[in-house]
Amino acid sequence: MTRKETAAEIAVRLGVRRKFYRLGFVFFVIMLALPMAVFGWGSPIEWQFTAAIVVFPALGTGAVFWWAYVVSRAALYEEVGRRFIGKE
């Protein structure tokens, strides 16, 4: 494979992975936002607790999805590097 073909392959594979992690994060946030919309319309204090219950896991999930994306990206570059060196 030439460098241009490899660069195109990396771009495609990273695009797919980026879309997967983005959709996973959006799905998780929606699954948390729905209970907030249903149960958060009580008093303002209940709404604040419900918002905290939704926001903190969403931030944590975002961090986990970002970390997983970075790890998969590093593994992809490692694979391509090994292919060019000829170790695979």
Side-chain angles (χ1 to χ4, degrees):
M1 279 184 119
T2 65
R3 287 181 186 248
K4 288 184 181 182
E5 291 171 343
T6 304
E9 178 187 351
I10 289 173
V12 169
R13 289 172 72 179
L14 285 178
V16 170
R17 290 176 185 189
R18 206 174 295 124
K19 187 181 293 186
F20 171 76
Y21 290 119
R22 188 178 303 139
L23 288 174
F25 178 71
V26 168
F27 176 75
F28 187 79
V29 168
I30 287 173
M31 295 308 291
L32 285 176
L34 287 177
M36 183 181 151
V38 172
F39 299 113
W41 295 110
S43 68
I45 292 175
E46 290 176 11
W47 186 85
Q48 291 171 355
F49 284 125
T50 307
I53 290 170
V54 170
V55 169
F56 293 130
L59 290 175
T61 302
V64 168
F65 276 118
W66 174 78
W67 176 79
Y69 171 72
V70 168
V71 168
S72 68
R73 185 178 65 190
L76 174 62
Y77 283 120
E78 178 187 4
E79 174 189 331
V80 170
R82 288 181 188 273
R83 194 180 319 157
F84 273 116
I85 292 174
K87 300 276 184 178
E88 192 170 280

